[in-house]
Amino acid sequence: MDHQCPSPMKATSNGIFQGDNPLDFALPLAIVQICLVLVVTRGLAFLLRPLRQPRVIAEVIGGILLGPSALGRNKGYLNAVFPPKSITVLDTLANIGLLFFLFLAGLELDVKSLRQSGKKVLAIAVTGITLPFALGIGTSFILRGTINKGVNATAFLVFMGVALSITAFPVLARILAELKLLTTDVGRMAMSAAAINDVAAWILLALAIALSGDNLSPVVPLWVFLCGCGFVIGAYLIVPPIFKWISRRCHEGEPVDELYICATLAAVLAAGLVTDVIGIHAMFGAFVIGVLLPKEGPFAGVLVEKVEDLVSGLFLPLYFVSSGLKTNVATIQGIQSWGLLVLVIFTACFGKIVGTFIVSLLWKIPKNEALALGFLMNSKGLVELIVLNIGKDRKVLNDQTFAIMVMMALFTTFITTPLVLAVYKPAKMLSKGDYKHRRIERKNPNTELRILSCFRSSRNIPSVINLLEASRGTERGERLSVYAMHLMEFSERPSAILMVHKARHNGLPFWNKGQRSANHVVVAFEAFQQLSQVSVRPMTSISSLSDMHEDICITAEKKNIAMIILPYHKNLRLDGSFESTRPDFHLVNKRVLEHASCSVGIFVDRGLGGTAQISASNVSFSITVLYFGGHDDREALAYGTRMAEHPGVELTVIRFLVESDSSEEIVTIHTEGTSAATLVSADEEFLAAFRTSISDDSSIKYEEKTVRNVSETITILRDYSRCSLFLVGRRPDGVVPLALSQRIDCPELGPVGSLLTSPEYATTASVLVVQQYYDNLYANSSQQRDVASVPEN
């Protein structure tokens, strides 16, 4: 901004009572700016959430709205909140934020995985750069002939090429995670190609910056470029050894020495200084340091946690505003400008999408995947903005070109999610599978049982493993296969991407708190697999809480699971009561119960079998099945019978009978529309079969208790509070559960489950609440023959 030099602002004011206007001072003004930016960008992000847009879009639009395009048309506001003399401070803060953000972006890039990425990905990445670059050069001739006259030709060519050929790696990762494509082939290819693209774009950008100085002689760009290469090589030789030494000194699970963190942050700033002195932008150095830091061990993770919230939360949005202050959409006027805007958008999309699409088809990738890849590679983001801003600062792009390019970046990123969703829906491609065993109760109990066991943190693991050990049944071959799924919440934070990387490399559950706990979990499952010959496959699900149930249900469908076991959403306190740490998981459980296409169990863990994992030889559980009647109770009993085959398990089945005065009471209409009498007869059949099968088994006791009311039931339950595990149905039939359901506080546990977990019922027994998969066809066939004899009332 060419003004007469305004007097520099003082940092802090004397306060409003001394007659100072706080907005004339640097610090209060900066605080106002930061808060304003945060409110606007977060508000927009919230509004764009339903459109499934990445947060970058909201930040860019927010910056544009705060700038001269929208609010800034009111000159009073612009001079009060963003006066020209405050711009220096604003830009400095924004660039510090940018510096550290790009350091984090560098940390996300795993160079090792780039080396192994293969020819296919390389071809896609190279096309994704060269074709748009060539088109960008073509466009730049048109733009120079019309609106961007009289600039350095070579610099403008390179800037336009780079601006069109960039794929934003962080934005792409967010979009993929949001669409659940990270672990698919398309997601992997897109991520690797974007990473290669990212590195290439940085090299080209360095070239563009070197070319765009106010050149005194043609030797200058050469020197700049050579020094830049020298810096990268020097950093490559010096940085990794030092940081390898540091990360060897940092042990898992112990706090990282604050000195190391400080040293790293200083190194990032120093690298920024060096590249700035050379004449490539300061953030280039920070990015290089980020790429060169070793990703193994806890150090990188700790660094990210320390830096990211402050940086991407407070400082980075300032960059979008300082960019937005330079963007004036009003400069795009007249048919010519709008025509050029359409042209730029068209060439950008055409180059990326068509280039990627054709190359993917040549590599025999199916059409819909190839199209999805093209759309994904078309997302732009922060790096794009940086390129444009540098071009604007170096006077290579004028206001109008800059505005056109920003609109192009916005548009291409905005369309990515909807287009990919339209072309490629891997989850929806699954039709309902037609596998038979969707429940534990089945005609031939010797068939393989497949269980999907989900857990959120390592604290439920020992109990879950003990539960699975008990479910193993007899030693007749591999009759149990377990899929252990670690549920991780995907957040907007950059470290979520790191987490995804690791989860993808390991294929094993990975904990946020560093690798050690992950290993003990994996070790726990592997040990369990070896001791008990049960096949265990660990998997990770990374998704936002609103979609987590989809992940669980789709996996169950794919793997032909008969029973999903979910952890209860409350955790056990030391005094034996439950506290809800994450109420949102309550919704996940509820949705799984609604949508699952197999049986579901909710496991309320009170430390089943102690906290240690028990080896097969010393399992001794006493398991109690509370049988009132109904599908879910039959499923619970079937599961109990299955467990009772295990040599260390004693099973007690308690059948509750209600004393009735007259026969009429029993025929009450059941919720499913079939009358209760039919269900009673189904129960009788099932129990009769069960009793004949156990006549010679000493480890199973069967008792019938007759009760008149709820309090008697509770008294009987008190006698059994010493057992290790209760198996109950979620929707038992009968008068007693109906009466119990008056005081239900947690619908997904059902009336009996709620009673057993309520604070007034003191027990150390864990509870597994079972809901049987209820298929109408299956139900109707078995009930057709009974219904005829019962009058419907």
Side-chain angles (χ1 to χ4, degrees):
M1 301 200 174
D2 309 318
H3 292 271
Q4 275 67 42
C5 188
S7 59
M9 302 173 84
K10 282 206 186 72
T12 50
S13 72
N14 294 330
I16 204 155
F17 297 111
Q18 308 259 4
D20 282 354
N21 173 7
L23 291 186
D24 293 342
F25 295 84
L27 180 70
L29 185 57
I31 292 172
V32 168
Q33 288 167 344
I34 291 178
C35 295
L36 185 66
V37 176
L38 284 183
V39 169
V40 171
T41 51
R42 290 300 162 122
L44 273 168
F46 181 72
L47 293 177
L48 290 175
R49 178 69 46 75
L51 298 175
R52 305 188 81 165
Q53 292 301 336
R55 203 164 78 199
V56 175
I57 293 241
E59 287 172 328
V60 178
I61 295 177
I64 293 175
L65 289 182
L66 290 172
S69 311
L71 289 173
R73 297 188 171 206
N74 174 352
K75 286 288 174 280
Y77 146 84
L78 203 57
N79 287 329
V81 183
F82 296 105
K85 56 182 176 179
S86 76
I87 298 296
T88 322
V89 176
L90 179 74
D91 277 357
T92 308
L93 282 175
N95 275 308
I96 288 179
L98 186 64
L99 203 77
F100 282 116
F101 183 79
L102 287 169
F103 167 63
L104 294 179
L107 266 179
E108 278 178 23
L109 247 176
D110 198 357
V111 188
K112 283 207 183 85
S113 60
L114 289 191
R115 289 196 200 122
Q116 303 153 358
S117 53
K119 292 202 180 75
K120 193 191 316 191
V121 171
L122 196 67
I124 292 174
V126 170
T127 326
I129 297 168
T130 46
L131 190 64
F133 197 85
L135 286 173
I137 292 178
T139 322
S140 70
F141 282 115
I142 301 173
L143 284 173
R144 274 193 70 219
T146 50
I147 54 174
N148 208 12
K149 294 195 176 74
V151 289
N152 179 342
T154 37
F156 186 55
L157 287 187
V158 182
F159 262 106
M160 287 299 293
V162 173
L164 290 189
S165 61
I166 278 177
T167 294
F169 179 71
V171 179
L172 181 74
R174 300 259 175 328
I175 291 177
L176 286 172
E178 169 95 326
L179 298 181
K180 299 259 191 330
L181 297 179
L182 267 168
T183 44
T184 57
D185 293 344
V186 174
R188 285 208 185 92
M189 284 192 295
M191 285 286 271
S192 309
I196 298 173
N197 194 314
D198 219 27
V199 175
W202 282 103
I203 297 169
L204 289 171
L205 177 58
L207 184 74
I209 295 173
L211 289 171
S212 70
D214 303 328
N215 284 354
L216 307 170
S217 72
V219 190
V220 174
L222 185 66
W223 270 115
V224 172
F225 198 66
L226 285 177
C227 286
C229 296
F231 165 76
V232 174
I233 293 165
Y236 181 71
L237 296 174
I238 299 167
V239 174
I242 296 177
F243 282 110
K244 281 210 176 86
W245 179 79
I246 287 185
S247 67
R248 272 205 304 275
R249 300 284 301 271
C250 300
H251 303 295
E252 288 292 357
E254 294 170 19
V256 173
D257 192 340
E258 179 252 9
L259 176 69
Y260 297 146
I261 301 245
C262 230
T264 312
L265 299 184
V268 172
L269 290 171
L273 174 68
V274 175
T275 42
D276 199 273
V277 169
I278 292 174
I280 327 173
H281 199 282
M283 68 203 173
F284 193 78
F287 181 74
V288 170
I289 298 279
V291 173
L292 292 177
L293 263 180
K295 315 284 185 287
E296 292 82 43
F299 187 60
V302 173
L303 257 178
V304 171
E305 273 176 24
K306 291 264 195 287
V307 179
E308 74 177 343
D309 286 346
L310 187 64
V311 165
S312 50
L314 281 184
F315 290 154
L316 196 64
L318 287 178
Y319 191 78
F320 293 104
V321 171
S322 90
S323 164
L325 287 173
K326 298 176 198 149
T327 316
N328 193 353
V329 182
T331 53
I332 308 180
Q333 282 165 347
I335 293 174
Q336 185 194 29
S337 293
W338 285 103
L340 287 170
L341 174 63
V342 173
L343 174 81
V344 168
I345 289 179
F346 175 74
T347 46
C349 296
F350 181 82
K352 275 283 187 215
I353 296 172
V354 173
T356 311
F357 181 64
I358 291 170
V359 171
S360 309
L361 286 185
L362 291 179
W363 283 95
K364 311 270 190 299
I365 295 174
K367 279 205 182 62
N368 58 345
E369 291 190 17
L371 251 180
L373 261 177
F375 291 142
L376 284 168
M377 298 302 285
N378 197 24
S379 56
K380 306 265 190 283
L382 183 70
V383 184
E384 169 82 352
L385 266 194
I386 298 168
V387 176
L388 299 178
N389 273 301
I390 296 174
K392 177 90 166 58
D393 294 343
R394 297 279 171 109
K395 310 259 189 310
V396 177
L397 308 175
N398 62 14
D399 286 355
Q400 200 172 347
T401 322
F402 183 71
I404 286 180
M405 297 303 287
V406 171
M407 298 308 283
M408 182 271 299
L410 259 179
F411 181 78
T412 51
T413 313
F414 203 89
I415 59 173
T416 302
T417 315
L419 283 178
V420 174
L421 272 178
V423 192
Y424 186 72
K425 296 198 183 75
K428 304 290 178 289
M429 289 174 189
L430 268 177
S431 57
K432 274 260 187 265
D434 47 359
Y435 63 98
K436 293 200 299 289
H437 301 308
R438 291 174 182 272
R439 54 173 79 75
I440 295 177
E441 180 197 340
R442 46 183 78 164
K443 299 222 165 44
N444 172 13
N446 289 341
T447 43
E448 184 191 37
L449 174 61
R450 290 169 157 253
I451 293 184
L452 172 66
S453 142
C454 306
F455 50 92
R456 294 197 309 272
S457 65
S458 45
R459 63 195 284 179
N460 336 43
I461 297 240
S463 312
V464 168
I465 288 188
N466 290 334
L467 177 69
L468 294 172
E469 166 59 46
S471 327
R472 207 180 56 171
T474 52
E475 315 296 328
R476 288 192 296 251
E478 290 232 353
R479 296 186 45 236
L480 175 68
S481 60
V482 176
Y483 292 83
M485 186 186 237
H486 179 210
L487 307 176
M488 284 194 285
E489 190 187 349
F490 181 78
S491 62
E492 279 274 339
R493 304 159 62 129
S495 55
I497 306 293
L498 274 176
M499 178 171 92
V500 168
H501 265 303
K502 290 190 175 150
R504 218 176 48 214
H505 287 316
N506 300 349
L508 300 170
F510 161 79
W511 267 260
N512 233 347
K513 287 285 170 282
Q515 215 87 37
R516 187 191 52 163
S517 52
N519 289 347
H520 89 223
V521 170
V522 175
V523 165
F525 275 115
E526 280 171 357
F528 169 55
Q529 187 165 347
Q530 280 152 11
L531 282 170
S532 49
Q533 285 94 44
V534 171
S535 70
V536 180
R537 271 152 245 163
M539 346 170 33
T540 316
S541 146
I542 300 175
S543 53
S544 57
L545 284 172
S546 51
D547 314 335
M548 206 171 263
H549 67 279
E550 285 176 24
D551 264 23
I552 298 172
C553 297
I554 288 169
T555 307
E557 185 75 45
K558 266 192 206 148
K559 308 283 186 208
N560 305 351
I561 301 290
M563 173 93 152
I564 301 174
I565 295 181
L566 297 166
Y568 184 45
H569 67 277
K570 294 182 180 174
N571 283 333
L572 190 67
R573 282 214 204 93
L574 288 173
D575 60 359
S577 63
F578 284 93
E579 62 174 336
S580 182
T581 41
R582 293 297 307 277
D584 328 5
F585 277 106
H586 167 83
L587 293 171
V588 176
N589 288 359
K590 229 161 78 178
R591 292 195 189 109
V592 173
L593 284 169
E594 281 166 33
H595 299 292
S597 52
C598 59
S599 295
V600 182
I602 290 187
F603 182 47
V604 182
D605 174 22
R606 285 200 176 99
L608 178 62
T611 47
Q613 173 190 341
I614 310 177
S615 66
S617 48
N618 359 350
V619 170
S620 62
F621 292 150
S622 55
I623 295 178
T624 310
V625 177
L626 305 177
Y627 196 97
F628 291 92
H631 306 281
D632 296 354
D633 282 17
R634 290 207 290 278
E635 183 79 347
L637 182 53
Y639 196 16
T641 320
R642 172 99 195 192
M643 288 180 169
E645 294 174 4
H646 193 291
V649 171
E650 286 184 2
L651 179 70
T652 310
V653 181
I654 306 173
R655 166 94 197 273
F656 288 93
L657 295 168
V658 182
E659 269 187 21
S660 52
D661 310 328
S662 67
S663 58
E664 283 156 36
E665 240 178 60
I666 295 184
V667 189
T668 48
I669 293 292
H670 184 60
T671 46
E672 309 283 336
T674 55
S675 75
T678 55
L679 288 164
V680 168
S681 66
D683 281 337
E684 293 299 344
E685 275 176 42
F686 183 72
L687 281 172
F690 167 69
R691 283 155 80 177
T692 51
S693 70
I694 63 161
S695 50
D696 55 343
D697 192 334
S698 59
S699 65
I700 302 182
K701 297 206 240 351
Y702 174 78
E703 303 174 13
E704 293 194 348
K705 303 276 185 185
T706 311
V707 288
R708 286 204 277 300
N709 51 26
V710 174
S711 51
E712 284 188 17
T713 315
I714 295 180
T715 319
I716 291 177
L717 288 183
R718 285 250 151 80
D719 302 344
Y720 291 93
S721 64
R722 310 279 307 154
C723 71
S724 341
L725 177 69
F726 280 113
L727 283 172
V728 296
R730 178 168 168 252
R731 298 160 302 192
D733 293 335
V735 187
V736 175
L738 252 177
L740 271 174
S741 59
Q742 304 306 320
R743 50 167 104 180
I744 227 168
D745 53 338
C746 181
E748 60 261 44
L749 294 183
V752 188
S754 290
L755 170 71
L756 293 176
T757 51
S758 65
E760 57 258 28
Y761 182 78
T763 175
T764 52
S766 302
V767 183
L768 182 67
V769 181
V770 181
Q771 167 182 300
Q772 184 174 47
Y773 169 66
Y774 184 76
D775 186 357
N776 291 332
L777 302 168
Y778 164 82
N780 292 347
S781 64
S782 67
Q783 280 158 2
Q784 219 59 58
R785 48 181 197 278
D786 308 303
V787 170
S789 61
V790 177
E792 298 275 345
N793 42 338

